[in-house]
C-alpha cells in the first residue's frame, strides 16, 4: 500500500512546511476532522526527532486555531493511535484533531476512552456517517483560505 500521508492528494492537503503536513481526514469522525502528520515517513513516536515532535505540537495548535476561526467548534478531541493494538491503521504517525460541538454526540462522556473500551461510537459506525461528516464546500474553501493566510 502506498502511504497516503507521504504523497497526499492535493485536495486533502491544507498546509505543509519542512517538517509537517495538515490534511483533511478521508474518514472523518466529525466535520472538520484534520490530521497532522510528519513529512518524513515514520510509524512511531519514538522515531521522531525532537524538532519533529515540536512541529507536530505546533501543527496541532495551528489546526485547532484555524478550525476555531472557520467552524467555531465548542471543543476538540486530539489523539494519536500508536501501534496496531491501539487502532493505528495507517503505518505513518498522525495526530487526529477532531472538532466537537455541543449535541454532536448523544453521550460524549469518556471522549477518546470509548475506543479503548471498545464501545460503539455513533460517529464512526457507518460509512454514511463518514460521508455526512465531510466538510461542506464553503467550509472547505474557508478553511483552505485560513491556511493560505499563513503564506502571506
Amino acid at each position: 500500500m502506498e502511504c497516503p500521508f507521504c504523497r497526499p492528494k492535493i485536495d486533502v492537503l491544507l498546509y505543509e512546511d519542512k517538517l509537517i503536513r495538515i490534511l483533511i481526514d478521508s474518514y472523518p469522525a466529525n466535520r472538520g476532522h484534520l490530521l497532522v502528520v510528519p513529512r518524513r515517513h515514520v510509524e512511531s513516536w519514538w522515531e521522531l526527532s525532537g524538532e519533529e515532535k515540536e512541529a507536530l505540537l505546533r501543527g496541532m495548535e495551528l489546526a485547532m486555531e484555524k478550525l476555531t476561526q472557520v467552524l467555531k467548534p465548542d471543543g476538540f478531541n486530539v489523539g494519536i493511535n500508536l501501534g496496531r493494538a491501539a487502532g493505528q491503521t495507517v503505518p505513518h504517525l498522525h495526530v487526529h484533531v477532531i472538532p466537537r460541538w455541543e449535541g454532536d454526540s448523544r453521550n460524549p462522556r469518556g471522549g477518546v476512552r470509548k475506543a479503548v473500551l471498545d464501545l460503539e461510537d455513533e460517529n464512526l459506525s457507518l460509512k454514511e456517517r463518514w460521508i455526512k461528516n465531510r466538510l461542506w464546500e464553503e467550509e472547505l474553501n474557508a478553511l483552505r483560505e485560513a491556511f493560505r493566510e499563513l503564506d502571506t
Side-chain angles (χ1 to χ4, degrees):
M1 172 178 102
E2 187 172 313
C3 179
F5 304 154
C6 286
R7 296 178 206 235
K9 295 178 182 174
I10 194 69
D11 61 328
V12 301
L13 179 63
L14 290 174
Y15 172 83
E16 65 181 339
D17 62 27
K18 67 180 186 146
L19 294 173
I20 63 165
R21 292 183 173 108
I22 298 177
L23 310 171
I24 299 166
D25 192 291
S26 297
Y27 303 96
N30 216 358
R31 218 170 78 254
H33 183 166
L34 301 180
L35 302 173
V36 183
V37 304
R39 286 182 66 119
R40 188 167 65 93
H41 185 88
V42 296
E43 188 169 341
S44 80
W45 182 259
W46 312 115
E47 296 173 68
L48 294 169
S49 69
E51 187 181 20
E52 287 170 318
K53 288 175 181 178
E54 289 175 14
L56 283 171
L57 291 174
R58 187 182 73 253
M60 178 191 76
E61 186 172 8
L62 180 59
M64 290 189 299
E65 175 187 314
K66 295 305 178 184
L67 285 164
T68 298
Q69 178 184 335
V70 173
L71 300 178
K72 300 178 181 25
D74 299 315
F76 290 93
N77 288 115
V78 176
I80 307 173
N81 302 321
L82 297 173
R84 287 182 54 172
Q88 184 176 5
T89 55
V90 176
H92 184 138
L93 185 128
H94 51 288
V95 179
H96 294 266
V97 179
I98 306 169
R100 300 301 301 269
W101 289 268
E102 293 292 332
D104 70 1
S105 176
R106 287 189 298 267
N107 184 14
R109 288 199 63 215
V112 295
R113 287 184 293 163
K114 286 181 179 180
V116 175
L117 298 173
D118 205 25
L119 299 173
E120 182 181 344
D121 182 339
E122 66 274 11
N123 291 317
L124 293 174
S125 60
L126 302 170
K127 182 179 178 183
E128 291 80 20
R129 298 271 182 178
W130 293 333
I131 294 168
K132 176 190 77 74
N133 287 335
R134 295 191 194 278
L135 287 167
W136 304 325
E137 192 65 30
E138 55 273 5
E139 292 172 325
L140 183 56
N141 290 335
L143 198 52
R144 283 197 171 112
E145 185 58 35
F147 276 98
R148 256 193 297 273
E149 291 170 3
L150 298 171
D151 294 334
T152 57

